[in-house]
Amino acid sequence: MNWGLENRLSKIFRPDTGRTVMLAVDHGYFLGPTSGLEKPAVTLEPLLEYANALMLTRGVLRKCVLPEKAPPIVLRVSGGTSILTELSHEGLTVDIEDAIRLNVSAITLSIFVGAKGERESLLNLAKLVDLGEKYGIPVLAVTAVGKDMVRDARYLGLACRIASEIGAHFVKTYYCDGFEKIVENTPVPIVIAGGKKVSETEALELAANAIKAGASGVDMGRNIFQSESPQAMIKAVNAVVHDGVDAQKAYQIYESNR
Ligand code: R5P
């Protein structure tokens, strides 16, 4: 057993439920100052205690999160492209020694199956998995980033399976019809992204459906930090993920906390 790697995973996935509520705030690494994240420290302050893990870049981590307040960190270590160019040609942007210095619980990159940068992104994943295994740091592969990607079960199933075959320790993807099949065919835990902002009801339904279909949690960003009441929303998402409440009950929790 890779003890360090398992130990770090157990910081992200709550051992009592086996699930996680990750808060994703890494959008700026290719989108710039995303709405709701203009001042990350202000956005994050009321949310940190409700996040089982925080997904972000080292720049925002260093400047906007106090070490004593930080939940387990899932560090974005890929980038080098922006929304203005071909996103899929990402490279690795953080040396493993810096990830270790930052005491991260996992490292993460995007893979671009079916895009121009498919090969380089998958080889980057392989390189990160080798480093992760060497130093005991789990690797999260993020699939299907980019507005042109078709997000159906066939495509997402392909991307998740490839990521797990290369050795990703967990995978982040989108919820879709037929999600159960993706979970069945991916031999590592899957967390779902929230995607673009929708109503609180819809976002909670998405999370509840994903959990019911076998997701091991969420890695949600915009549907939390762009909510009218981000703290109420992350509490409601926690109830879905860890207590297994349905979307209707979760919405009541949202309403009673706003
Ligand atoms: C995309 O590459 C980033 O990893 C985002 O963190 C991700 O899309 C999750 O955020 P959201 O729930 O806003 O889709």
Side-chain angles (χ1 to χ4, degrees), residues 59-107:
V60 171
L61 177 63
R62 284 180 186 144
K63 292 292 176 193
C64 307
V65 185
L66 293 172
E68 65 272 25
K69 292 273 179 70
I73 298 300
V74 177
L75 189 70
R76 161 70 65 179
V77 299
S78 70
T81 58
S82 82
I83 193 71
L84 300 178
T85 59
E86 171 55 47
L87 267 188
S88 68
H89 292 303
E90 284 188 354
L92 297 178
T93 53
V94 179
D95 191 283
I96 193 71
E97 283 186 8
D98 204 32
I100 294 166
R101 210 163 17 244
L102 291 164
N103 194 31
V104 303
S105 295
I107 45 181

mmCIF file of all heavy atoms in Angstrom, residues 59-107:
data_model
loop_
_atom_site.group_PDB
_atom_site.id
_atom_site.type_symbol
_atom_site.label_atom_id
_atom_site.label_comp_id
_atom_site.label_asym_id
_atom_site.label_seq_id
_atom_site.Cartn_x
_atom_site.Cartn_y
_atom_site.Cartn_z
ATOM 1 N N GLY A 59 -1.080 30.078 -6.938
ATOM 2 C CA GLY A 59 -1.053 31.536 -6.766
ATOM 3 C C GLY A 59 -2.157 32.000 -5.836
ATOM 4 O O GLY A 59 -1.928 32.800 -4.918
ATOM 5 N N VAL A 60 -3.363 31.498 -6.065
ATOM 6 C CA VAL A 60 -4.498 31.884 -5.218
ATOM 7 C C VAL A 60 -4.343 31.259 -3.836
ATOM 8 O O VAL A 60 -4.642 31.893 -2.823
ATOM 9 C CB VAL A 60 -5.843 31.495 -5.899
ATOM 10 C CG1 VAL A 60 -7.010 31.691 -4.942
ATOM 11 C CG2 VAL A 60 -6.040 32.345 -7.150
ATOM 12 N N LEU A 61 -3.838 30.057 -3.792
ATOM 13 C CA LEU A 61 -3.623 29.410 -2.475
ATOM 14 C C LEU A 61 -2.697 30.274 -1.605
ATOM 15 O O LEU A 61 -3.009 30.597 -0.460
ATOM 16 C CB LEU A 61 -3.029 28.016 -2.678
ATOM 17 C CG LEU A 61 -2.678 27.257 -1.397
ATOM 18 C CD1 LEU A 61 -3.922 26.986 -0.553
ATOM 19 C CD2 LEU A 61 -1.980 25.931 -1.719
ATOM 20 N N ARG A 62 -1.580 30.666 -2.169
ATOM 21 C CA ARG A 62 -0.597 31.413 -1.373
ATOM 22 C C ARG A 62 -1.112 32.768 -0.901
ATOM 23 O O ARG A 62 -0.830 33.194 0.202
ATOM 24 C CB ARG A 62 0.665 31.655 -2.209
ATOM 25 C CG ARG A 62 1.531 30.445 -2.337
ATOM 26 C CD ARG A 62 2.729 30.849 -3.175
ATOM 27 N NE ARG A 62 3.550 29.692 -3.468
ATOM 28 C CZ ARG A 62 4.185 29.521 -4.604
ATOM 29 N NH1 ARG A 62 4.080 30.411 -5.555
ATOM 30 N NH2 ARG A 62 4.924 28.459 -4.801
ATOM 31 N N LYS A 63 -1.844 33.452 -1.799
ATOM 32 C CA LYS A 63 -2.232 34.833 -1.503
ATOM 33 C C LYS A 63 -3.595 34.964 -0.842
ATOM 34 O O LYS A 63 -3.877 35.980 -0.213
ATOM 35 C CB LYS A 63 -2.235 35.665 -2.810
ATOM 36 C CG LYS A 63 -0.870 35.867 -3.389
ATOM 37 C CD LYS A 63 -0.033 36.762 -2.491
ATOM 38 C CE LYS A 63 1.393 36.922 -2.990
ATOM 39 N NZ LYS A 63 2.270 37.525 -1.991
ATOM 40 N N CYS A 64 -4.457 33.980 -1.000
ATOM 41 C CA CYS A 64 -5.854 34.184 -0.593
ATOM 42 C C CYS A 64 -6.351 33.192 0.456
ATOM 43 O O CYS A 64 -7.514 33.275 0.869
ATOM 44 C CB CYS A 64 -6.766 34.106 -1.818
ATOM 45 S SG CYS A 64 -6.264 35.216 -3.137
ATOM 46 N N VAL A 65 -5.533 32.235 0.876
ATOM 47 C CA VAL A 65 -5.985 31.258 1.872
ATOM 48 C C VAL A 65 -4.958 31.202 3.000
ATOM 49 O O VAL A 65 -3.769 30.962 2.751
ATOM 50 C CB VAL A 65 -6.139 29.846 1.245
ATOM 51 C CG1 VAL A 65 -6.726 28.874 2.269
ATOM 52 C CG2 VAL A 65 -7.012 29.879 -0.002
ATOM 53 N N LEU A 66 -5.411 31.426 4.221
ATOM 54 C CA LEU A 66 -4.496 31.336 5.356
ATOM 55 C C LEU A 66 -4.159 29.874 5.631
ATOM 56 O O LEU A 66 -5.064 29.026 5.622
ATOM 57 C CB LEU A 66 -5.142 31.946 6.613
ATOM 58 C CG LEU A 66 -5.390 33.451 6.578
ATOM 59 C CD1 LEU A 66 -6.211 33.882 7.791
ATOM 60 C CD2 LEU A 66 -4.061 34.198 6.513
ATOM 61 N N PRO A 67 -2.889 29.573 5.898
ATOM 62 C CA PRO A 67 -2.505 28.172 6.119
ATOM 63 C C PRO A 67 -3.324 27.495 7.210
ATOM 64 O O PRO A 67 -3.689 26.324 7.096
ATOM 65 C CB PRO A 67 -1.033 28.264 6.518
ATOM 66 C CG PRO A 67 -0.560 29.568 6.001
ATOM 67 C CD PRO A 67 -1.736 30.495 5.967
ATOM 68 N N GLU A 68 -3.645 28.246 8.261
ATOM 69 C CA GLU A 68 -4.373 27.628 9.386
ATOM 70 C C GLU A 68 -5.864 27.430 9.090
ATOM 71 O O GLU A 68 -6.563 26.758 9.834
ATOM 72 C CB GLU A 68 -4.168 28.441 10.676
ATOM 73 C CG GLU A 68 -4.731 29.844 10.674
ATOM 74 C CD GLU A 68 -3.756 30.897 10.134
ATOM 75 O OE1 GLU A 68 -2.867 30.556 9.345
ATOM 76 O OE2 GLU A 68 -3.918 32.079 10.505
ATOM 77 N N LYS A 69 -6.340 28.028 8.010
ATOM 78 C CA LYS A 69 -7.764 27.913 7.677
ATOM 79 C C LYS A 69 -8.009 26.962 6.497
ATOM 80 O O LYS A 69 -9.155 26.721 6.114
ATOM 81 C CB LYS A 69 -8.320 29.299 7.290
ATOM 82 C CG LYS A 69 -8.398 30.302 8.409
ATOM 83 C CD LYS A 69 -9.727 30.144 9.155
ATOM 84 C CE LYS A 69 -9.888 31.103 10.313
ATOM 85 N NZ LYS A 69 -10.080 32.487 9.899
ATOM 86 N N ALA A 70 -6.927 26.461 5.895
ATOM 87 C CA ALA A 70 -7.085 25.722 4.635
ATOM 88 C C ALA A 70 -7.618 24.313 4.848
ATOM 89 O O ALA A 70 -7.090 23.558 5.666
ATOM 90 C CB ALA A 70 -5.747 25.650 3.919
ATOM 91 N N PRO A 71 -8.656 23.929 4.097
ATOM 92 C CA PRO A 71 -9.030 22.521 4.067
ATOM 93 C C PRO A 71 -7.999 21.768 3.206
ATOM 94 O O PRO A 71 -7.097 22.398 2.639
ATOM 95 C CB PRO A 71 -10.407 22.542 3.388
ATOM 96 C CG PRO A 71 -10.426 23.781 2.574
ATOM 97 C CD PRO A 71 -9.486 24.760 3.224
ATOM 98 N N PRO A 72 -8.098 20.464 3.080
ATOM 99 C CA PRO A 72 -7.179 19.740 2.184
ATOM 100 C C PRO A 72 -7.186 20.371 0.780
ATOM 101 O O PRO A 72 -8.240 20.738 0.270
ATOM 102 C CB PRO A 72 -7.758 18.325 2.168
ATOM 103 C CG PRO A 72 -8.420 18.202 3.509
ATOM 104 C CD PRO A 72 -9.012 19.548 3.783
ATOM 105 N N ILE A 73 -6.013 20.479 0.221
ATOM 106 C CA ILE A 73 -5.863 21.185 -1.059
ATOM 107 C C ILE A 73 -5.694 20.201 -2.224
ATOM 108 O O ILE A 73 -4.879 19.274 -2.150
ATOM 109 C CB ILE A 73 -4.624 22.115 -1.008
ATOM 110 C CG1 ILE A 73 -4.789 23.176 0.084
ATOM 111 C CG2 ILE A 73 -4.354 22.748 -2.366
ATOM 112 C CD1 ILE A 73 -5.985 24.091 -0.063
ATOM 113 N N VAL A 74 -6.467 20.451 -3.274
ATOM 114 C CA VAL A 74 -6.271 19.740 -4.550
ATOM 115 C C VAL A 74 -5.714 20.789 -5.507
ATOM 116 O O VAL A 74 -6.425 21.711 -5.919
ATOM 117 C CB VAL A 74 -7.600 19.140 -5.058
ATOM 118 C CG1 VAL A 74 -7.396 18.482 -6.411
ATOM 119 C CG2 VAL A 74 -8.152 18.132 -4.042
ATOM 120 N N LEU A 75 -4.448 20.648 -5.793
ATOM 121 C CA LEU A 75 -3.733 21.720 -6.495
ATOM 122 C C LEU A 75 -3.777 21.537 -8.017
ATOM 123 O O LEU A 75 -3.347 20.506 -8.546
ATOM 124 C CB LEU A 75 -2.270 21.742 -6.030
ATOM 125 C CG LEU A 75 -1.455 22.939 -6.509
ATOM 126 C CD1 LEU A 75 -1.911 24.223 -5.828
ATOM 127 C CD2 LEU A 75 0.035 22.701 -6.234
ATOM 128 N N ARG A 76 -4.255 22.562 -8.691
ATOM 129 C CA ARG A 76 -4.240 22.571 -10.166
ATOM 130 C C ARG A 76 -2.792 22.732 -10.629
ATOM 131 O O ARG A 76 -2.147 23.727 -10.322
ATOM 132 C CB ARG A 76 -5.122 23.726 -10.631
ATOM 133 C CG ARG A 76 -4.916 24.215 -12.034
ATOM 134 C CD ARG A 76 -5.359 23.272 -13.118
ATOM 135 N NE ARG A 76 -6.786 23.028 -13.131
ATOM 136 C CZ ARG A 76 -7.370 22.225 -14.044
ATOM 137 N NH1 ARG A 76 -6.653 21.614 -14.977
ATOM 138 N NH2 ARG A 76 -8.663 22.009 -13.995
ATOM 139 N N VAL A 77 -2.286 21.750 -11.340
ATOM 140 C CA VAL A 77 -0.886 21.812 -11.782
ATOM 141 C C VAL A 77 -0.762 21.802 -13.306
ATOM 142 O O VAL A 77 0.307 21.525 -13.836
ATOM 143 C CB VAL A 77 -0.034 20.676 -11.151
ATOM 144 C CG1 VAL A 77 -0.021 20.787 -9.637
ATOM 145 C CG2 VAL A 77 -0.517 19.299 -11.587
ATOM 146 N N SER A 78 -1.875 22.074 -13.997
ATOM 147 C CA SER A 78 -1.787 22.195 -15.451
ATOM 148 C C SER A 78 -2.275 23.567 -15.870
ATOM 149 O O SER A 78 -3.012 24.229 -15.148
ATOM 150 C CB SER A 78 -2.611 21.112 -16.148
ATOM 151 O OG SER A 78 -4.002 21.333 -15.980
ATOM 152 N N GLY A 79 -1.823 23.994 -17.059
ATOM 153 C CA GLY A 79 -2.209 25.301 -17.580
ATOM 154 C C GLY A 79 -1.297 25.677 -18.728
ATOM 155 O O GLY A 79 -0.722 24.803 -19.391
ATOM 156 N N GLY A 80 -1.172 26.978 -18.945
ATOM 157 C CA GLY A 80 -0.308 27.437 -20.028
ATOM 158 C C GLY A 80 -1.097 27.834 -21.264
ATOM 159 O O GLY A 80 -0.525 28.230 -22.283
ATOM 160 N N THR A 81 -2.432 27.704 -21.200
ATOM 161 C CA THR A 81 -3.289 28.139 -22.309
ATOM 162 C C THR A 81 -4.405 28.989 -21.716
ATOM 163 O O THR A 81 -4.627 28.965 -20.508
ATOM 164 C CB THR A 81 -3.903 26.946 -23.061
ATOM 165 O OG1 THR A 81 -4.654 26.154 -22.119
ATOM 166 C CG2 THR A 81 -2.846 26.086 -23.710
ATOM 167 N N SER A 82 -5.116 29.721 -22.580
ATOM 168 C CA SER A 82 -6.216 30.547 -22.076
ATOM 169 C C SER A 82 -7.443 30.332 -22.948
ATOM 170 O O SER A 82 -7.363 29.694 -24.002
ATOM 171 C CB SER A 82 -5.824 32.029 -22.095
ATOM 172 O OG SER A 82 -6.018 32.541 -23.405
ATOM 173 N N ILE A 83 -8.525 30.906 -22.511
ATOM 174 C CA ILE A 83 -9.786 30.820 -23.246
ATOM 175 C C ILE A 83 -9.656 31.434 -24.651
ATOM 176 O O ILE A 83 -10.433 31.145 -25.547
ATOM 177 C CB ILE A 83 -10.914 31.517 -22.418
ATOM 178 C CG1 ILE A 83 -12.315 31.200 -22.937
ATOM 179 C CG2 ILE A 83 -10.695 33.029 -22.338
ATOM 180 C CD1 ILE A 83 -12.734 29.796 -22.682
ATOM 181 N N LEU A 84 -8.606 32.246 -24.864
ATOM 182 C CA LEU A 84 -8.433 32.916 -26.161
ATOM 183 C C LEU A 84 -7.732 32.033 -27.190
ATOM 184 O O LEU A 84 -7.685 32.363 -28.369
ATOM 185 C CB LEU A 84 -7.610 34.202 -25.979
ATOM 186 C CG LEU A 84 -8.209 35.248 -25.032
ATOM 187 C CD1 LEU A 84 -7.278 36.452 -24.913
ATOM 188 C CD2 LEU A 84 -9.584 35.689 -25.523
ATOM 189 N N THR A 85 -7.137 30.911 -26.736
ATOM 190 C CA THR A 85 -6.378 30.081 -27.686
ATOM 191 C C THR A 85 -6.903 28.647 -27.663
ATOM 192 O O THR A 85 -8.040 28.410 -27.293
ATOM 193 C CB THR A 85 -4.878 30.088 -27.319
ATOM 194 O OG1 THR A 85 -4.738 29.592 -25.982
ATOM 195 C CG2 THR A 85 -4.275 31.474 -27.427
ATOM 196 N N GLU A 86 -6.079 27.717 -28.084
ATOM 197 C CA GLU A 86 -6.467 26.303 -28.081
ATOM 198 C C GLU A 86 -6.206 25.741 -26.676
ATOM 199 O O GLU A 86 -5.067 25.478 -26.299
ATOM 200 C CB GLU A 86 -5.642 25.557 -29.148
ATOM 201 C CG GLU A 86 -5.769 24.057 -29.128
ATOM 202 C CD GLU A 86 -7.204 23.553 -29.240
ATOM 203 O OE1 GLU A 86 -7.951 24.029 -30.108
ATOM 204 O OE2 GLU A 86 -7.575 22.664 -28.443
ATOM 205 N N LEU A 87 -7.292 25.568 -25.932
ATOM 206 C CA LEU A 87 -7.191 25.163 -24.526
ATOM 207 C C LEU A 87 -6.454 23.852 -24.301
ATOM 208 O O LEU A 87 -5.824 23.634 -23.279
ATOM 209 C CB LEU A 87 -8.602 24.978 -23.960
ATOM 210 C CG LEU A 87 -9.282 26.136 -23.255
ATOM 211 C CD1 LEU A 87 -10.559 25.646 -22.617
ATOM 212 C CD2 LEU A 87 -8.353 26.738 -22.215
ATOM 213 N N SER A 88 -6.578 22.957 -25.294
ATOM 214 C CA SER A 88 -6.159 21.579 -25.032
ATOM 215 C C SER A 88 -4.642 21.376 -25.006
ATOM 216 O O SER A 88 -4.173 20.300 -24.665
ATOM 217 C CB SER A 88 -6.788 20.635 -26.056
ATOM 218 O OG SER A 88 -6.249 20.855 -27.332
ATOM 219 N N HIS A 89 -3.873 22.413 -25.358
ATOM 220 C CA HIS A 89 -2.420 22.239 -25.345
ATOM 221 C C HIS A 89 -1.796 22.603 -24.000
ATOM 222 O O HIS A 89 -0.749 23.262 -23.940
ATOM 223 C CB HIS A 89 -1.767 23.076 -26.459
ATOM 224 C CG HIS A 89 -2.090 22.574 -27.831
ATOM 225 N ND1 HIS A 89 -1.816 21.286 -28.237
ATOM 226 C CD2 HIS A 89 -2.680 23.176 -28.899
ATOM 227 C CE1 HIS A 89 -2.213 21.118 -29.488
ATOM 228 N NE2 HIS A 89 -2.760 22.243 -29.908
ATOM 229 N N GLU A 90 -2.427 22.206 -22.910
ATOM 230 C CA GLU A 90 -1.889 22.521 -21.581
ATOM 231 C C GLU A 90 -0.579 21.777 -21.316
ATOM 232 O O GLU A 90 -0.368 20.675 -21.821
ATOM 233 C CB GLU A 90 -2.889 22.105 -20.488
ATOM 234 C CG GLU A 90 -4.053 23.051 -20.354
ATOM 235 C CD GLU A 90 -4.911 22.734 -19.138
ATOM 236 O OE1 GLU A 90 -4.666 21.719 -18.455
ATOM 237 O OE2 GLU A 90 -5.829 23.519 -18.874
ATOM 238 N N GLY A 91 0.234 22.406 -20.488
ATOM 239 C CA GLY A 91 1.420 21.727 -19.979
ATOM 240 C C GLY A 91 1.339 21.666 -18.465
ATOM 241 O O GLY A 91 0.369 22.153 -17.861
ATOM 242 N N LEU A 92 2.361 21.092 -17.835
ATOM 243 C CA LEU A 92 2.400 21.050 -16.373
ATOM 244 C C LEU A 92 3.034 22.346 -15.877
ATOM 245 O O LEU A 92 4.052 22.790 -16.405
ATOM 246 C CB LEU A 92 3.174 19.823 -15.894
ATOM 247 C CG LEU A 92 2.516 18.493 -16.295
ATOM 248 C CD1 LEU A 92 3.347 17.301 -15.827
ATOM 249 C CD2 LEU A 92 1.096 18.392 -15.753
ATOM 250 N N THR A 93 2.432 22.950 -14.858
ATOM 251 C CA THR A 93 2.823 24.302 -14.450
ATOM 252 C C THR A 93 3.431 24.369 -13.047
ATOM 253 O O THR A 93 3.794 25.455 -12.593
ATOM 254 C CB THR A 93 1.590 25.235 -14.481
ATOM 255 O OG1 THR A 93 0.555 24.622 -13.702
ATOM 256 C CG2 THR A 93 1.089 25.475 -15.891
ATOM 257 N N VAL A 94 3.487 23.233 -12.365
ATOM 258 C CA VAL A 94 4.003 23.241 -10.980
ATOM 259 C C VAL A 94 4.980 22.084 -10.807
ATOM 260 O O VAL A 94 4.684 20.949 -11.199
ATOM 261 C CB VAL A 94 2.843 23.076 -9.959
ATOM 262 C CG1 VAL A 94 3.381 23.051 -8.530
ATOM 263 C CG2 VAL A 94 1.817 24.205 -10.108
ATOM 264 N N ASP A 95 6.117 22.387 -10.237
ATOM 265 C CA ASP A 95 7.078 21.335 -9.922
ATOM 266 C C ASP A 95 6.553 20.522 -8.731
ATOM 267 O O ASP A 95 5.980 21.089 -7.796
ATOM 268 C CB ASP A 95 8.413 22.009 -9.556
ATOM 269 C CG ASP A 95 9.540 21.001 -9.472
ATOM 270 O OD1 ASP A 95 9.616 20.275 -8.467
ATOM 271 O OD2 ASP A 95 10.329 20.950 -10.426
ATOM 272 N N ILE A 96 6.772 19.232 -8.757
ATOM 273 C CA ILE A 96 6.247 18.379 -7.679
ATOM 274 C C ILE A 96 6.784 18.823 -6.313
ATOM 275 O O ILE A 96 6.092 18.721 -5.290
ATOM 276 C CB ILE A 96 6.535 16.874 -7.945
ATOM 277 C CG1 ILE A 96 5.729 15.975 -7.011
ATOM 278 C CG2 ILE A 96 8.012 16.557 -7.856
ATOM 279 C CD1 ILE A 96 4.271 15.922 -7.272
ATOM 280 N N GLU A 97 8.007 19.347 -6.295
ATOM 281 C CA GLU A 97 8.572 19.803 -5.009
ATOM 282 C C GLU A 97 7.769 20.962 -4.424
ATOM 283 O O GLU A 97 7.628 21.082 -3.209
ATOM 284 C CB GLU A 97 10.036 20.227 -5.184
ATOM 285 C CG GLU A 97 10.955 19.042 -5.281
ATOM 286 C CD GLU A 97 12.412 19.446 -5.300
ATOM 287 O OE1 GLU A 97 12.713 20.644 -5.091
ATOM 288 O OE2 GLU A 97 13.246 18.560 -5.550
ATOM 289 N N ASP A 98 7.237 21.805 -5.289
ATOM 290 C CA ASP A 98 6.430 22.908 -4.767
ATOM 291 C C ASP A 98 5.090 22.388 -4.249
ATOM 292 O O ASP A 98 4.572 22.865 -3.238
ATOM 293 C CB ASP A 98 6.214 23.998 -5.823
ATOM 294 C CG ASP A 98 5.921 25.345 -5.160
ATOM 295 O OD1 ASP A 98 6.452 25.591 -4.049
ATOM 296 O OD2 ASP A 98 5.148 26.133 -5.709
ATOM 297 N N ALA A 99 4.540 21.394 -4.937
ATOM 298 C CA ALA A 99 3.289 20.787 -4.452
ATOM 299 C C ALA A 99 3.504 20.174 -3.065
ATOM 300 O O ALA A 99 2.667 20.304 -2.165
ATOM 301 C CB ALA A 99 2.804 19.731 -5.450
ATOM 302 N N ILE A 100 4.643 19.545 -2.887
ATOM 303 C CA ILE A 100 4.953 18.941 -1.580
ATOM 304 C C ILE A 100 5.123 20.038 -0.517
ATOM 305 O O ILE A 100 4.599 19.947 0.581
ATOM 306 C CB ILE A 100 6.225 18.063 -1.677
ATOM 307 C CG1 ILE A 100 5.951 16.857 -2.577
ATOM 308 C CG2 ILE A 100 6.697 17.615 -0.290
ATOM 309 C CD1 ILE A 100 7.203 16.100 -3.017
ATOM 310 N N ARG A 101 5.842 21.107 -0.898
ATOM 311 C CA ARG A 101 6.047 22.236 0.021
ATOM 312 C C ARG A 101 4.715 22.836 0.454
ATOM 313 O O ARG A 101 4.551 23.256 1.584
ATOM 314 C CB ARG A 101 6.882 23.303 -0.709
ATOM 315 C CG ARG A 101 7.749 24.118 0.167
ATOM 316 C CD ARG A 101 8.854 24.883 -0.569
ATOM 317 N NE ARG A 101 8.721 25.049 -1.982
ATOM 318 C CZ ARG A 101 9.574 24.515 -2.886
ATOM 319 N NH1 ARG A 101 10.607 23.816 -2.504
ATOM 320 N NH2 ARG A 101 9.390 24.708 -4.176
ATOM 321 N N LEU A 102 3.751 22.828 -0.457
ATOM 322 C CA LEU A 102 2.424 23.383 -0.137
ATOM 323 C C LEU A 102 1.550 22.377 0.607
ATOM 324 O O LEU A 102 0.395 22.664 0.930
ATOM 325 C CB LEU A 102 1.731 23.844 -1.435
ATOM 326 C CG LEU A 102 2.359 25.068 -2.092
ATOM 327 C CD1 LEU A 102 1.872 25.214 -3.539
ATOM 328 C CD2 LEU A 102 2.054 26.335 -1.311
ATOM 329 N N ASN A 103 2.092 21.212 0.868
ATOM 330 C CA ASN A 103 1.393 20.174 1.642
ATOM 331 C C ASN A 103 0.037 19.809 1.045
ATOM 332 O O ASN A 103 -0.958 19.688 1.763
ATOM 333 C CB ASN A 103 1.220 20.648 3.103
ATOM 334 C CG ASN A 103 0.831 19.494 4.009
ATOM 335 O OD1 ASN A 103 1.215 18.347 3.768
ATOM 336 N ND2 ASN A 103 0.041 19.767 5.025
ATOM 337 N N VAL A 104 -0.003 19.642 -0.274
ATOM 338 C CA VAL A 104 -1.291 19.380 -0.916
ATOM 339 C C VAL A 104 -1.731 17.940 -0.701
ATOM 340 O O VAL A 104 -0.920 17.033 -0.486
ATOM 341 C CB VAL A 104 -1.243 19.707 -2.422
ATOM 342 C CG1 VAL A 104 -0.833 21.160 -2.637
ATOM 343 C CG2 VAL A 104 -0.336 18.758 -3.192
ATOM 344 N N SER A 105 -3.046 17.746 -0.786
ATOM 345 C CA SER A 105 -3.608 16.401 -0.622
ATOM 346 C C SER A 105 -3.786 15.688 -1.949
ATOM 347 O O SER A 105 -3.987 14.471 -1.982
ATOM 348 C CB SER A 105 -4.947 16.485 0.103
ATOM 349 O OG SER A 105 -4.733 16.955 1.418
ATOM 350 N N ALA A 106 -3.783 16.446 -3.043
ATOM 351 C CA ALA A 106 -3.848 15.843 -4.382
ATOM 352 C C ALA A 106 -3.382 16.876 -5.393
ATOM 353 O O ALA A 106 -3.339 18.082 -5.097
ATOM 354 C CB ALA A 106 -5.266 15.393 -4.723
ATOM 355 N N ILE A 107 -3.004 16.377 -6.572
ATOM 356 C CA ILE A 107 -2.645 17.265 -7.680
ATOM 357 C C ILE A 107 -3.588 16.949 -8.836
ATOM 358 O O ILE A 107 -4.057 15.814 -8.973
ATOM 359 C CB ILE A 107 -1.164 17.092 -8.094
ATOM 360 C CG1 ILE A 107 -0.774 15.602 -8.180
ATOM 361 C CG2 ILE A 107 -0.252 17.829 -7.133
ATOM 362 C CD1 ILE A 107 0.697 15.352 -8.556
#
